Amino acid sequence: MTMLQKRPACGLCLSAASVGHGPRGIRTPGGRVSFRCRATDDGETSVSEEPTTASAPPVGGGGEEAGSSKGLLAGGAVGLGVALFIVGKIGLGGPSFAALEAGSLPLDEALGNGKPTVLEFYADWCDMCKELLPSTLEAEREYQGRVNFVMMNIDNSKWAPEMEEYNVKGIPEFVFLDASGTPQAAAVGKVPKEVLAADVAALAENRSLPYARIRGAASDTTRPDSAGAVAKSTMPRDHA
């Protein structure tokens, strides 16, 4: 009978269960290192490292896919932040003189179409005018088609005759005309929203206006930073 001589077991392999390695590899924090266990003639065991076929993901997991996902999320967050910043800066959809002027009619057309009219004397630099923008725009949109709104920028010298006719001494000034063009009331300065809404509603319904003459804090008709400045003859925001 032929006797097979049993070679000494590899000490590295014998301790596999305790140190986290097996006959073909060792698990390390940096990944798995493969090795070849070989008994030498003197009974010792030599171990040679072999490169593995697949690299382990970096500590923390996720690999390239996780990194890509994080990159996309970060990019999306930055893009959203930029979009919100732009929207905030430009005031998308907010009240503006341009929005009011979009619904404004030429004065001659307003006085000739048989509907009541609200004249607003204003200026782009007028703080009180800016504060009343939301209320004015709301009224214009609510009564569109029933009441005419005419925007009159006092920086345009062509409105000088109307300013004299209606005795405009402060802005904003709202002049309420009935369907025949006869003045029924006037509101000057920063008047309460309820006052403006009540007078426009009464005008649309051909009723007596509840506030015939009311005045709040108003801006002067002279631009504060250009005393003696010459008014322009034509302006893109004015209506003929």
Side-chain angles (χ1 to χ4, degrees), residues 16-109:
S18 61
V19 298
H21 71 275
R24 296 293 297 169
I26 302 174
R27 292 187 299 274
T28 69
R32 185 178 182 85
V33 177
S34 297
F35 64 88
R36 184 181 299 279
C37 181
R38 183 177 69 255
T40 63
D41 293 338
D42 57 4
E44 295 181 352
T45 302
S46 66
V47 178
S48 60
E49 293 185 2
E50 295 180 341
T52 57
T53 55
S55 59
V59 177
E64 293 183 0
E65 292 184 6
S68 177
S69 298
K70 291 179 181 178
L72 289 174
L73 289 174
V78 171
L80 178 60
V82 171
L84 291 175
F85 174 80
I86 293 174
V87 170
K89 293 294 288 182
I90 66 177
L92 187 62
S96 65
F97 288 119
L100 275 175
E101 291 153 3
S104 178
L105 290 179
L107 180 59
D108 291 343
E109 181 180 341

Side-chain angles (χ1 to χ4, degrees), residues 74-204:
V78 171
L80 178 60
V82 171
L84 291 175
F85 174 80
I86 293 174
V87 170
K89 293 294 288 182
I90 66 177
L92 187 62
S96 65
F97 288 119
L100 275 175
E101 291 153 3
S104 178
L105 290 179
L107 180 59
D108 291 343
E109 181 180 341
L111 295 179
N113 65 9
K115 299 176 183 179
T117 298
V118 176
L119 308 178
E120 181 182 355
F121 294 90
Y122 78 103
D124 291 341
W125 44 263
C126 168
D127 290 336
M128 303 298 177
C129 303
K130 294 174 183 177
E131 291 185 34
L132 286 182
L133 271 172
S135 300
T136 310
L137 184 60
E138 181 179 338
E140 181 183 274
R141 289 176 174 174
E142 182 176 355
Y143 293 96
Q144 185 176 14
R146 300 169 59 191
V147 176
N148 304 314
F149 285 81
V150 179
M151 301 291 292
M152 312 176 84
N153 192 327
I154 66 169
D155 282 340
N156 190 331
S157 59
K158 76 174 183 177
W159 298 122
E162 283 73 22
M163 291 181 66
E164 183 177 356
E165 178 181 357
Y166 298 109
N167 195 30
V168 176
K169 301 298 183 183
I171 54 174
E173 176 160 344
F174 301 89
V175 179
F176 301 87
L177 310 178
D178 63 16
S180 66
T182 303
Q184 299 297 308
V188 181
K190 186 180 177 181
V191 298
K193 172 183 176 180
E194 294 74 17
V195 169
L196 182 62
D199 274 1
V200 175
L203 198 65

